[in-house]
């Protein structure tokens, strides 16, 4: 099968389209013919091997998993002997630890769910990693309830664009923070107000937000707290992985936020990285109800995956970038 592989850490130019063996299916695993796969910051982190802390999981000197990609949407072609949730022909979406930038990938059945029936494969591939992160930020970390005021920093990105919609579905009044050329896009997601960060800072209105979801990754905690109500919650999503060789921009949530949260009234929390089948099911329900419409900025064919990653890093897309693999109708 064709797959995008990297034998060493480096930039997108290190990627190669190669013929590799189709992955073996374990007892509780599912073989998926990939129709589309999403791009997210984690792909760039595992490609570059930076911040260096990630190499403890990815491989100290070279990548343990040569095929890139986590998000996947496609069709089941084979199931393991103990799989009970799927059968060949089922349309699924979810994540894969074996790499999804390939014609086929294998995933544990608990990492997959039925694809939302009203989404294309490309739209479905835009959901899993970013959507589960956004859902945890809104529902679990932020504990958003009807009537809450929520500020989403990075509202035009993959996580932010879905967090805006999910927060609205949970009954919040939402303000999105984005660049000036993205304001109309963020309003189209359902944001009640939009803040142009080139003209105004996030504490423009004072301490009025019950929840601040920061997907930007570089503002000081002191500034973020100035936008929160006295008992408000700050949900930190990811970090600016290009800042610092060892930890990137993740020092805030790993060290700064837990220490500060113990002595102030605000709840300062990192959004957990768990992936659960229940979250994929809830995201499917939100999509099928019309409350969540994943936004695809641009799609690239498998052979142009390196260009997709460059577009993601250089153009700051509105929504997600997607790699399409086997179906021109994705």
């Amino acid at each position: 099968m064709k797959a995008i592989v990297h034998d060493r850490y480096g930039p997108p130019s290190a990627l190669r389209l190669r013929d590799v063996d189709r992955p073996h299916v374990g007892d509780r695993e599912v073989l998926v013919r990939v129709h589309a796969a999403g791009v997210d910051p984690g792909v760039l982190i595992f490609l570059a091997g930076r911040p260096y802390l990630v190499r403890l999981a990815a491989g100290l000197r070279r990548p343990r998993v040569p095929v890139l990609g986590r998000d996947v949407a496609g069709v089941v072609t084979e199931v393991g002997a103990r799989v009970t949730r799927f059968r060949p022909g089922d349309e699924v979406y979810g994540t894969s630890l074996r790499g999804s930038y390939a014609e086929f990938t294998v995933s544990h059945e608990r990492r997959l769910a039925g694809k939302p029936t009203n989404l294309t494969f490309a739209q479905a591939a835009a959901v899993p990693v970013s959507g589960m992160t956004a859902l945890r930020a809104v529902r679990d970390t932020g504990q958003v309830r009807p009537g809450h005021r929520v500020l989403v920093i990075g509202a035009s990105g993959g996580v932010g664009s879905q967090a805006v919609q999910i927060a609205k579905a949970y009954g919040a009044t939402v303000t999105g923070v984005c660049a000036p050329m993205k304001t109309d896009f963020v309003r189209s997601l359902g944001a009640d107000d939009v803040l142009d960060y080139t003209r105004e800072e996030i504490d423009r209105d004072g301490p009025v937000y019950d929840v601040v979801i920061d997907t930007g990754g570089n503002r000081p905690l002191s500034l973020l707290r100035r936008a929160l109500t006295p008992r408000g919650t700050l949900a930190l999503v990811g970090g600016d992985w290009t800042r610092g060789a060892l930890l990137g921009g993740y020092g805030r949530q790993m060290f700064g936020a837990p220490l500060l949260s113990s002595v102030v009234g605000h709840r300062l929390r990192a959004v957990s990285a768990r992936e659960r089948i229940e979250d994929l099911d809830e995201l499917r329900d939100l999509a099928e109800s019309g409350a969540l419409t994943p936004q695809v900025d641009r799609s690239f064919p498998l052979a142009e995956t390196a260009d997709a990653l460059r577009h993601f890093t250089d153009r700051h897309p509105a929504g997600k970038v997607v790699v399409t693999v086997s179906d021109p109708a994705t």
Side-chain angles (χ1 to χ4, degrees), residues 63-94:
R64 289 197 187 100
V65 179
V67 181
L68 277 178
R70 291 289 304 283
D71 289 318
V72 62
V75 176
V76 174
T77 60
E78 183 182 345
V79 299
R82 299 177 61 191
V83 170
T84 59
R85 300 185 62 247
F86 301 106
R87 60 185 180 182
D90 288 346
E91 296 183 349
V92 296
Y93 83 132

Side-chain angles (χ1 to χ4, degrees), residues 17-36:
L17 179 66
R18 292 182 183 167
D19 287 308
V20 301
D21 292 335
R22 185 180 298 188
H24 172 72
V25 179
D27 283 351
R28 300 299 298 270
E29 293 181 326
V30 175
L31 181 69
V32 178
R33 183 174 181 86
V34 180
H35 287 232

Side-chain angles (χ1 to χ4, degrees), residues 6 9 45-47 49 52-66:
H6 66 135
Y9 294 118
I45 289 172
F46 279 90
L47 171 61
Y52 290 130
L53 190 64
V54 76
R55 299 194 185 193
L56 295 177
L60 292 178
R61 301 184 64 183
R62 61 180 58 88
R64 289 197 187 100
V65 179

Side-chain angles (χ1 to χ4, degrees), residues 3 14 19 38 45 53 67 110 127 155-156 163 211 231 265 272 297 316 324 328:
D19 287 308
I45 289 172
L53 190 64
V67 181
R110 294 290 297 175
V127 174
S156 64
V211 179
R231 294 294 176 181
S272 69
D297 178 89
H316 304 289
T324 56

Side-chain angles (χ1 to χ4, degrees), residues 83-273:
V83 170
T84 59
R85 300 185 62 247
F86 301 106
R87 60 185 180 182
D90 288 346
E91 296 183 349
V92 296
Y93 83 132
T95 61
S96 171
L97 297 180
R98 305 274 195 95
S100 57
Y101 297 163
E103 292 179 316
F104 294 89
T105 191
V106 161
S107 184
H108 193 282
E109 67 172 333
R110 294 290 297 175
R111 289 183 174 274
L112 298 171
K115 181 181 80 67
T117 56
N118 60 329
L119 299 185
T120 66
F121 284 104
Q123 288 176 309
V127 174
V129 171
S130 295
M132 283 190 283
T133 303
L135 181 63
R136 287 192 302 272
V138 172
R139 182 194 63 198
D140 302 333
T141 306
Q143 299 177 10
V144 172
R145 301 188 301 273
H148 271 178
R149 293 189 65 177
V150 176
L151 181 75
V152 179
I153 303 172
S156 64
V159 174
S161 62
Q162 298 189 58
V164 169
Q165 297 176 75
I166 294 170
K168 289 294 296 181
Y170 273 58
T173 298
V174 179
T175 297
V177 181
C178 63
M181 69 287 295
K182 306 288 179 57
T183 56
D184 288 343
F185 171 75
V186 173
R187 289 188 189 279
S188 75
L189 301 172
D192 300 280
D193 190 17
V194 179
L195 192 155
D196 170 5
Y197 69 76
T198 67
R199 300 179 58 189
E200 301 171 301
E201 198 39 275
I202 62 166
D203 59 349
R204 174 193 67 183
D205 300 319
V208 299
Y209 295 103
D210 300 287
V211 179
V212 171
I213 299 172
D214 180 20
T215 73
N218 56 14
R219 284 177 174 81
L221 293 175
S222 58
L223 173 58
L224 295 167
R225 291 179 58 221
R226 287 203 295 270
L228 284 171
T229 60
R231 294 294 176 181
T233 297
L234 170 62
L236 294 165
V237 177
D240 183 356
W241 63 275
T242 63
R243 294 164 58 94
L246 180 60
L247 298 178
Y250 294 89
R252 292 184 315 161
Q253 54 260 55
M254 293 177 66
F255 304 110
L259 290 173
L260 188 58
S261 190
S262 66
V263 297
V264 300
H266 296 139
R267 295 176 66 250
L268 312 178
R269 300 286 188 269
V271 178
S272 69

